[in-house]
Amino acid sequence: MLVMRRRAGEGFLIGPDIEIEVLEVSPTRVKIGIVAPNELPIVRKEVILTRQENLAASRHTPSDTIAWLSERLSKPRQPA
Amino acid sequence: MPRLTSKYFGELDYSADDAFQFPDGIPAFEDQTGFVFIDQPQTHPLVFMQSLGNPGLCFIAVPALVADPTYRPDLSPEDLALLGLSPEPPPQPGLDILCLSLVTVSEHADPTVNLASPIVLNLRNRKGVQAILPSSGYSLRQPLLVREDLAPCS
């Protein structure tokens, strides 16, 4: 991974068309400005991860697995 | 009473109180804006999140507190606004809102729940959102149960 140190107000370019600027830095978060072509999708990483997890969760679940899940969750855990 | 075709239970009557509007859908299913939440005695405490627009789309969920009894999501102002809620006073879980976690079941792994992006329902106006909590420390794949005691299929 390329690591770069930047202050608020400084930026960098990715290729000829994408410009990233650090707008504001606070102790817990940074505010970033992005200039990029309209057709380029820019999505927060956690949204992409949620999308992937939703696709996995939408798959068919067999009825015996549903019955097992329901039974195991409805009664207290057996001591080991 | 309205009727729907559900993925796991066939034709079902449902109460309008169980139908929720998701103005933005959820990630990967942005066009699905209506879901009914089905809690049947024989599958309790599972809650089935059945799409009204697509009978073949149904998620399995559990109340987040079933997966993690200490669960306290910190909802963003944007998600609260989508639900028609304000940050002060904070919405009361169980009274104003309900948090559900989607369950992922895969063939070769133990089932997991997504605590990092809970389904949050406003029980008062029946709006819903999938809240995304990036820095909450909650996992997208929190183990729910260990599968070793899943009885072999006959």
Side-chain angles (χ1 to χ4, degrees), chain A residues 6-37:
Chain A
R6 304 273 68 192
R7 292 188 169 87
E10 297 178 341
F12 55 92
L13 295 171
I14 302 174
D17 298 330
I18 303 170
E19 184 182 345
I20 313 283
E21 190 182 335
V22 178
L23 300 174
E24 209 178 286
V25 181
S26 82
T28 55
R29 46 175 58 186
V30 289
K31 191 169 170 182
I32 289 170
I34 303 165
V35 181

Coordinates of all heavy atoms in Angstrom, one line a residue, chain A residues 6-37:
Chain A
R6 N -0.3 13.9 4.3 CA -0.9 15.1 3.8 C -1.5 15.9 4.9 O -2.0 15.4 5.9 CB -2.0 14.8 2.8 CG -1.6 13.9 1.6 CD -1.1 14.7 0.5 NE 0.2 15.3 0.8 CZ 0.8 16.2 0.0 NH1 0.2 16.6 -1.1 NH2 2.0 16.7 0.3
R7 N -1.5 17.2 4.8 CA -2.1 18.1 5.8 C -3.4 18.6 5.2 O -3.6 18.5 4.0 CB -1.3 19.3 6.1 CG 0.0 19.0 6.8 CD 0.7 20.3 7.2 NE 1.8 20.0 8.2 CZ 3.0 19.7 7.8 NH1 3.3 19.7 6.6 NH2 3.9 19.5 8.8
A8 N -4.3 19.1 6.0 CA -5.5 19.7 5.5 C -5.2 20.8 4.4 O -4.2 21.5 4.6 CB -6.3 20.4 6.6
G9 N -5.9 20.8 3.3 CA -5.6 21.7 2.2 C -4.7 21.1 1.2 O -4.6 21.7 0.1
E10 N -4.0 20.0 1.5 CA -3.2 19.4 0.5 C -3.9 18.3 -0.2 O -4.9 17.8 0.3 CB -1.9 18.8 1.2 CG -1.0 19.9 1.8 CD 0.2 19.3 2.5 OE1 0.2 18.1 2.9 OE2 1.1 20.1 2.8
G11 N -3.4 17.8 -1.3 CA -4.1 16.8 -2.1 C -3.2 16.0 -2.9 O -2.0 16.1 -2.7
F12 N -3.8 15.2 -3.8 CA -3.0 14.4 -4.7 C -3.9 14.0 -5.9 O -5.1 14.1 -5.8 CB -2.3 13.2 -4.0 CG -3.3 12.3 -3.3 CD1 -3.8 11.2 -4.0 CD2 -3.6 12.5 -2.0 CE1 -4.7 10.3 -3.3 CE2 -4.5 11.6 -1.3 CZ -5.0 10.6 -2.0
L13 N -3.3 13.5 -6.9 CA -4.0 13.1 -8.1 C -3.8 11.6 -8.3 O -2.8 11.0 -8.0 CB -3.5 13.8 -9.4 CG -3.7 15.3 -9.4 CD1 -2.9 15.8 -10.6 CD2 -5.2 15.6 -9.6
I14 N -4.9 10.9 -8.8 CA -4.8 9.5 -9.2 C -5.0 9.6 -10.7 O -6.2 9.8 -11.1 CB -5.8 8.6 -8.5 CG1 -5.6 8.7 -7.0 CG2 -5.7 7.2 -9.0 CD1 -6.7 7.9 -6.2
G15 N -4.0 9.3 -11.5 CA -4.2 9.4 -12.9 C -4.4 10.9 -13.3 O -4.3 11.8 -12.4
P16 N -4.8 11.2 -14.5 CA -5.0 12.6 -14.9 C -6.3 13.2 -14.5 O -6.4 14.4 -14.4 CB -5.0 12.5 -16.5 CG -5.4 11.1 -16.8 CD -5.0 10.2 -15.6
D17 N -7.3 12.4 -14.1 CA -8.7 12.9 -13.9 C -9.2 12.9 -12.5 O -10.3 13.4 -12.2 CB -9.7 12.0 -14.8 CG -9.4 12.1 -16.2 OD1 -8.9 13.1 -16.7 OD2 -9.7 11.1 -16.9
I18 N -8.5 12.2 -11.6 CA -9.1 12.1 -10.2 C -8.2 12.8 -9.3 O -7.0 12.6 -9.2 CB -9.1 10.6 -9.8 CG1 -9.9 9.8 -10.9 CG2 -9.7 10.4 -8.4 CD1 -9.9 8.3 -10.7
E19 N -8.9 13.8 -8.5 CA -8.2 14.6 -7.6 C -8.8 14.4 -6.2 O -10.0 14.4 -6.0 CB -8.3 16.1 -8.0 CG -7.5 17.0 -7.1 CD -7.6 18.5 -7.4 OE1 -8.1 18.8 -8.5 OE2 -7.3 19.3 -6.6
I20 N -7.9 14.1 -5.2 CA -8.3 13.9 -3.9 C -7.7 15.1 -3.0 O -6.5 15.3 -3.1 CB -7.8 12.6 -3.3 CG1 -8.0 11.4 -4.3 CG2 -8.4 12.3 -1.9 CD1 -9.4 10.9 -4.3
E21 N -8.6 15.7 -2.2 CA -8.1 16.8 -1.3 C -8.5 16.5 0.1 O -9.6 16.1 0.3 CB -8.6 18.1 -1.8 CG -7.8 19.2 -1.0 CD -8.3 20.6 -1.4 OE1 -8.9 20.8 -2.5 OE2 -8.2 21.5 -0.6
V22 N -7.5 16.7 1.0 CA -7.9 16.6 2.4 C -8.4 17.9 2.8 O -7.7 18.9 2.8 CB -6.6 16.2 3.3 CG1 -7.0 16.1 4.7 CG2 -6.1 14.8 2.8
L23 N -9.7 18.0 3.2 CA -10.3 19.3 3.5 C -10.2 19.6 5.0 O -10.0 20.8 5.3 CB -11.8 19.2 3.2 CG -12.1 18.9 1.7 CD1 -13.6 18.8 1.5 CD2 -11.6 20.0 0.8
E24 N -10.3 18.6 5.9 CA -10.3 18.9 7.3 C -9.9 17.7 8.0 O -10.2 16.6 7.7 CB -11.8 19.2 7.6 CG -12.1 20.1 8.8 CD -13.6 20.3 8.9 OE1 -14.2 21.0 8.1 OE2 -14.2 19.7 9.8
V25 N -9.1 17.9 9.1 CA -8.6 16.8 9.9 C -9.1 17.0 11.4 O -8.9 18.1 11.9 CB -7.1 16.7 9.9 CG1 -6.6 15.5 10.7 CG2 -6.6 16.5 8.4
S26 N -9.7 16.0 12.0 CA -10.1 16.1 13.4 C -9.5 14.9 14.1 O -8.9 14.0 13.4 CB -11.6 16.2 13.6 OG -12.1 14.9 13.5
P27 N -9.5 14.8 15.4 CA -8.8 13.7 16.1 C -9.4 12.3 15.6 O -8.7 11.3 15.6 CB -9.1 13.9 17.5 CG -9.3 15.4 17.7 CD -10.0 15.8 16.4
T28 N -10.7 12.3 15.2 CA -11.3 11.0 14.9 C -11.6 10.8 13.5 O -11.9 9.7 13.0 CB -12.5 10.7 15.8 OG1 -13.4 11.8 15.5 CG2 -12.2 10.6 17.2
R29 N -11.7 11.8 12.7 CA -12.0 11.6 11.3 C -11.4 12.7 10.4 O -11.0 13.7 10.8 CB -13.6 11.6 11.1 CG -14.3 12.7 11.8 CD -15.8 12.8 11.5 NE -16.4 11.5 11.8 CZ -17.7 11.2 11.5 NH1 -18.4 12.1 10.8 NH2 -18.2 10.1 11.8
V30 N -11.3 12.3 9.1 CA -10.9 13.3 8.1 C -12.0 13.6 7.1 O -12.8 12.7 6.8 CB -9.6 12.8 7.3 CG1 -8.4 12.8 8.2 CG2 -9.8 11.5 6.7
K31 N -12.0 14.8 6.6 CA -13.0 15.1 5.6 C -12.3 15.2 4.3 O -11.2 15.9 4.2 CB -13.6 16.5 5.9 CG -14.8 16.9 5.1 CD -15.5 18.1 5.8 CE -16.6 18.7 5.0 NZ -17.1 19.9 5.7
I32 N -12.7 14.5 3.3 CA -12.0 14.4 2.0 C -12.9 14.9 0.9 O -14.1 14.6 0.8 CB -11.6 12.9 1.8 CG1 -10.6 12.5 2.8 CG2 -11.2 12.6 0.4 CD1 -10.3 11.0 2.8
G33 N -12.3 15.6 0.0 CA -13.0 16.1 -1.2 C -12.5 15.3 -2.4 O -11.3 15.0 -2.5
I34 N -13.4 14.9 -3.3 CA -13.0 14.1 -4.5 C -13.5 14.8 -5.7 O -14.7 15.1 -5.8 CB -13.6 12.7 -4.4 CG1 -13.2 12.0 -3.1 CG2 -13.2 11.8 -5.6 CD1 -14.0 10.7 -2.7
V35 N -12.6 15.0 -6.7 CA -13.1 15.5 -8.0 C -12.8 14.3 -9.0 O -11.6 13.9 -9.1 CB -12.3 16.7 -8.4 CG1 -12.8 17.2 -9.8 CG2 -12.5 17.8 -7.4
A36 N -13.8 13.8 -9.6 CA -13.6 12.7 -10.5 C -14.7 12.7 -11.6 O -15.7 13.4 -11.4 CB -13.7 11.4 -9.7
P37 N -14.5 12.1 -12.7 CA -15.5 12.0 -13.8 C -16.8 11.5 -13.2 O -16.8 10.6 -12.4 CB -14.9 11.1 -14.8 CG -13.4 11.1 -14.6 CD -13.3 11.3 -13.1

